[in-house]
Amino acid sequence: MSSDDASDDFPASKLERSGLFAKTGLKVGKNYARYLLDRATGEDDPEARKKELNTQNARDLFKEFTRLRGTALKMAQSMSMDTGLLPDEFMEVMAEAQYSVPPMNKALVRKRIRDGLGRFPELLFDEFEPEAMAAASLGQVHRARLDDGRTVAVKVQYPNVRETIESDLSVARTLFRRLVQGNGFDDHFEEVKARLQEETDYLHEAQNIDHFAEQYDTDKLVIPRPVHEFTSETVLTMTFVEGQHLDAFLDTDPSQGRRDHFGQLLWDFLHEQVAGNARTLHADTHPGNFLFREDGRLGVIDFGCVKTFPQQFRDDMLRLYRARMADDEEEITRLLFTLDILRDDLPQETQKELRQFFDRYGSLIVEPYRQSSFDFGDPGFRERMQASFKAASELRAATGSPHFIFLNKALVGLLNLLTQLKARVDTSESVSLLNNSLEAIGAEPVRP
C-alpha cells in the first residue's frame, strides 16, 4: 500500500460507515440468536453463557468500531468506560483495548505529519519513533525529541476524522430517535457535535493545554506544554509526561496510602475546576488520561474534550448541590425545572420516573460530602453507583440542559476511577471550595 492510498483502511463515506454499522448489528444479532438457542436447549449455564455473549459482542463491536475509528469508536469507548451503562464484560474488553487500536502504517504517519506541519518528521525532529506508543479513537501518539533535547509526544490525527463526525452522528441520531422522547434531543446532539469538532482541532487543544498548565501545573499535578511551532489542526506536539496508567499502577499492588494520595489529587482537581472562575472542565475523565508518577504527582493528559460552562448553568448546579445537602425539596424541584431535567412537554408518568431517578442519583452524588472522609472502596457505594448507571440506561427521555452531558462524563469518570483505586478521600477542602463559590453567587454555604 502506498502512502497515497494508505488512508483506504479508514472508511470515510457515509455509505461505507453505515455499512459497517449494519454489519456489526448483524454480528451482534447472530451472537444473541445463538445464546437464545443454547438457553432454550438448556445445554449451558445461563449466567456463564450470558457473560460469554457479552464478551463476544464487545469483541465484535470493538473489532468493527476499530476499523471505523473516529466518532464511532469514541462513542463506544465512552459508553463502556465512562458511564458504566453497558455490562461489565464490555468494560473489560474496552479496558484491554484502550491502548491497542491498530495504528496507522509508517508511511501514512509520515504523510500526515508532512501534510500537517509541512515537512516529514525526520526533518522536523532530532529523533522520531515511527512506532506509535499509543493509539486511540481519534489519533495516535509518537515519542520524539526536539533539537533542544526535550522529549515530546506527537499526536497525529487519523485521516478523515473531522469529515466523519457528521455522518456518524447522523447514524446515531437515527438510532436514538427511536428510543427517546422529549424536545431536547437535537440540542444534546449539537452539544456532542460541537465538542467533537473542538476535539479534532489540535490548535484548539493546544490552547486548552496552555490554560490548564497555567492554572494547575503545581507540585501536585503535571500538565504538558504545547510546542506551538510543531502543532497544527491535525498534529499536536507537547512535552512528554512520564507515569503509569491506572492498570499498570494497580498491578504494582500500591499501598492504601498511595491509593488515597492519588485519589485525593483526582478529587481535588475536579473540584478546583468546578469551583474556579474559569468554569472550564477537563471532561474526559477516564484511566487513559491520568498518569501515576513515582514522585507522587499526578500527570494529566489529553485536553481535547474540554467544556466551558455558562455562568448561569454552573451557578445553578452549585445551588442544586446545596439544596440536596439541605434536603430542600422545594428548591430541588425548582432547579430541576430550571435545568430542564423536568419539563412540561413530558408525560406525567415520565416526569415522575425522572424525579425518582434524580432523587436517588442526587443523593448518591452528595453522599461523600456528608462526612469529612469518604471511602470509595466501600462495595455498598459501588453497588449503588452501578445501580444508578443501570437505571439511567433505562430512561427514555432526552432531558436536562445539554451542558450536563460533559459534566456527567467527568463526574462519572471520576467516580469510576476512585472506586477502582478504592481510595479514601478527605472531602473537607472540596466542601470549603464549593462553599466559597456559593457565597460568591449570594447563596448560603453548606453547613456541616
Side-chain angles (χ1 to χ4, degrees), residues 240-273:
F240 192 85
V241 178
E242 298 280 359
Q244 294 177 307
H245 289 294
L246 179 63
D247 55 352
F249 172 69
L250 293 177
D251 283 346
T252 66
D253 192 23
S255 67
Q256 186 64 50
R258 292 280 285 176
R259 291 168 180 264
D260 295 348
H261 169 77
F262 283 113
Q264 190 72 53
L265 294 181
L266 286 163
W267 177 264
D268 290 345
F269 178 51
L270 181 131
H271 285 84
E272 287 169 8
Q273 295 170 77

Side-chain angles (χ1 to χ4, degrees), residues 31 45 55 87 120 126 166 171 234 240 249 324 353 412:
N31 293 339
D45 172 19
T55 299
F120 288 116
D126 187 50
E166 196 77 47
V171 172
T234 56
F240 192 85
F249 172 69
R324 287 283 181 204
E353 290 175 1
V412 171

Side-chain angles (χ1 to χ4, degrees), residues 164-329:
T164 63
I165 291 174
E166 196 77 47
S167 62
D168 284 359
L169 287 181
S170 177
V171 172
R173 187 190 300 255
T174 301
L175 294 173
F176 281 102
R177 270 203 180 280
R178 302 171 186 169
L179 302 174
V180 299
Q181 53 186 310
N183 296 329
F185 184 84
D186 289 332
D187 290 341
H188 283 74
F189 262 83
E190 288 304 311
E191 173 72 5
V192 171
K193 184 168 76 172
R195 299 289 78 74
L196 283 168
Q197 288 171 336
E198 290 177 355
E199 198 166 353
T200 53
D201 179 356
Y202 288 170
L203 289 172
H204 185 268
E205 182 171 352
Q207 293 176 349
N208 288 340
I209 297 173
D210 277 332
H211 165 78
F212 278 87
E214 181 180 341
Q215 294 289 322
Y216 302 107
D217 193 47
T218 63
D219 59 349
K220 296 180 179 179
L221 301 178
V222 179
I223 312 289
R225 301 295 175 118
V227 183
H228 292 283
E229 58 268 35
F230 294 127
T231 294
S232 69
E233 283 191 358
T234 56
V235 180
L236 171 60
T237 303
M238 64 202 117
T239 54
F240 192 85
V241 178
E242 298 280 359
Q244 294 177 307
H245 289 294
L246 179 63
D247 55 352
F249 172 69
L250 293 177
D251 283 346
T252 66
D253 192 23
S255 67
Q256 186 64 50
R258 292 280 285 176
R259 291 168 180 264
D260 295 348
H261 169 77
F262 283 113
Q264 190 72 53
L265 294 181
L266 286 163
W267 177 264
D268 290 345
F269 178 51
L270 181 131
H271 285 84
E272 287 169 8
Q273 295 170 77
V274 170
N277 292 329
R279 310 181 312 281
T280 298
L281 182 69
H282 181 297
D284 210 356
T285 310
H286 74 76
N289 290 339
F290 297 94
L291 298 168
F292 299 80
R293 294 167 51 93
E294 284 291 332
D295 64 5
R297 293 188 292 171
L298 180 72
V300 187
I301 58 175
D302 198 339
F303 294 86
C305 185
V306 166
K307 170 68 179 176
T308 299
F309 296 105
Q311 185 78 49
Q312 188 64 49
F313 175 82
R314 198 290 302 264
D315 294 352
D316 283 338
M317 285 304 305
L318 288 172
R319 293 185 179 100
L320 183 58
Y321 152 76
R322 186 201 174 281
R324 287 283 181 204
M325 291 290 286
D327 295 319
D328 186 340
E329 295 298 325

Side-chain angles (χ1 to χ4, degrees), residues 344-356:
D344 291 328
D345 66 293
L346 293 171
Q348 285 297 316
E349 186 61 30
T350 301
Q351 291 193 41
K352 181 179 177 182
E353 290 175 1
L354 285 168
R355 178 60 194 260
Q356 289 174 343

Side-chain angles (χ1 to χ4, degrees), residues 14-269:
K14 184 175 182 179
L15 181 63
E16 286 180 290
R17 296 177 74 79
S18 295
L20 278 173
F21 275 118
K23 178 183 175 184
T24 305
L26 287 173
K27 279 189 175 183
V28 170
K30 185 177 179 181
N31 293 339
Y32 190 65
R34 188 182 300 119
Y35 159 73
L36 290 177
L37 179 62
D38 289 344
R39 193 175 71 172
T41 58
E43 294 180 359
D44 288 320
D45 172 19
E47 190 63 31
R49 188 68 186 89
K50 187 66 176 288
K51 289 179 180 290
E52 183 183 334
L53 169 73
N54 288 336
T55 299
Q56 188 58 53
N57 281 343
R59 286 174 178 159
D60 286 341
L61 283 168
F62 183 76
K63 180 180 178 182
E64 298 303 328
F65 279 22
T66 290
R67 288 190 61 199
L68 290 165
R69 295 190 182 94
T71 309
L73 183 55
K74 188 78 176 177
M75 286 191 294
Q77 289 177 332
S78 293
M79 286 178 69
S80 59
M81 297 295 291
D82 296 329
T83 66
L85 298 184
L86 295 178
D88 288 344
E89 291 79 19
F90 278 73
M91 182 178 288
E92 291 167 9
V93 169
M94 289 297 180
E96 292 171 5
Q98 187 68 34
Y99 316 109
S100 59
V101 178
M104 292 182 281
N105 64 56
K106 297 175 185 178
L108 182 54
V109 171
R110 293 182 73 246
K111 181 178 184 298
R112 295 292 291 163
I113 291 177
R114 185 199 64 188
D115 291 348
L117 299 179
R119 290 188 291 169
F120 288 116
E122 60 268 24
L123 300 176
L124 292 167
F125 303 101
D126 187 50
E127 287 183 8
F128 181 85
E129 295 183 5
E131 300 290 341
M133 59 177 294
S137 53
L138 303 181
Q140 63 190 49
V141 180
H142 295 257
R143 188 193 298 256
R145 191 172 70 201
L146 301 178
D147 289 341
D148 62 11
R150 283 182 293 169
T151 301
V152 293
V154 183
K155 184 157 72 169
V156 184
Q157 192 173 113
Y158 300 132
N160 306 317
V161 166
R162 287 180 68 84
E163 292 76 9
T164 63
I165 291 174
E166 196 77 47
S167 62
D168 284 359
L169 287 181
S170 177
V171 172
R173 187 190 300 255
T174 301
L175 294 173
F176 281 102
R177 270 203 180 280
R178 302 171 186 169
L179 302 174
V180 299
Q181 53 186 310
N183 296 329
F185 184 84
D186 289 332
D187 290 341
H188 283 74
F189 262 83
E190 288 304 311
E191 173 72 5
V192 171
K193 184 168 76 172
R195 299 289 78 74
L196 283 168
Q197 288 171 336
E198 290 177 355
E199 198 166 353
T200 53
D201 179 356
Y202 288 170
L203 289 172
H204 185 268
E205 182 171 352
Q207 293 176 349
N208 288 340
I209 297 173
D210 277 332
H211 165 78
F212 278 87
E214 181 180 341
Q215 294 289 322
Y216 302 107
D217 193 47
T218 63
D219 59 349
K220 296 180 179 179
L221 301 178
V222 179
I223 312 289
R225 301 295 175 118
V227 183
H228 292 283
E229 58 268 35
F230 294 127
T231 294
S232 69
E233 283 191 358
T234 56
V235 180
L236 171 60
T237 303
M238 64 202 117
T239 54
F240 192 85
V241 178
E242 298 280 359
Q244 294 177 307
H245 289 294
L246 179 63
D247 55 352
F249 172 69
L250 293 177
D251 283 346
T252 66
D253 192 23
S255 67
Q256 186 64 50
R258 292 280 285 176
R259 291 168 180 264
D260 295 348
H261 169 77
F262 283 113
Q264 190 72 53
L265 294 181
L266 286 163
W267 177 264
D268 290 345
F269 178 51

